[in-house]
Amino acid sequence: MTFVTIATLTDSAEIRILIAALKAHGFNPLEAGQEGIVAMPGIRGIKGVYEIRVPKGEAKNAKILAKDLIRQMQAKDN
């Protein structure tokens, strides 16, 4: 199965919220142990920047949800 990056974040709190929301909406981000950081399913980290990946067939819709949720979370910070 091919996985696609749908979001790149630096805030671990936003990452956890986004993963929970994706799962709640029926998407399937990579699980810990498949690839990623332990206790942070589907997330790969490189120098403090983290990627959230979902199956290719879910990527289009998952990216729409992720983009909107990230916008809302970041607007709340300002």
Side-chain angles (χ1 to χ4, degrees), residues 19-72:
I19 290 292
L22 286 166
K23 286 183 173 186
H25 283 85
F27 296 105
N28 299 290
L30 281 173
E31 295 291 337
Q34 289 176 299
E35 182 178 301
I37 298 170
V38 176
M40 296 179 78
I43 301 167
R44 296 188 311 172
I46 301 171
K47 297 183 181 179
V49 178
Y50 302 95
E51 297 178 347
I52 298 174
R53 301 175 74 206
V54 299
K56 187 176 181 177
E58 298 176 2
K60 181 180 178 183
N61 292 326
K63 191 170 188 171
I64 291 168
L65 175 62
K67 184 178 179 181
D68 187 52
L69 291 172
I70 291 167
R71 180 187 54 79
Q72 290 179 42

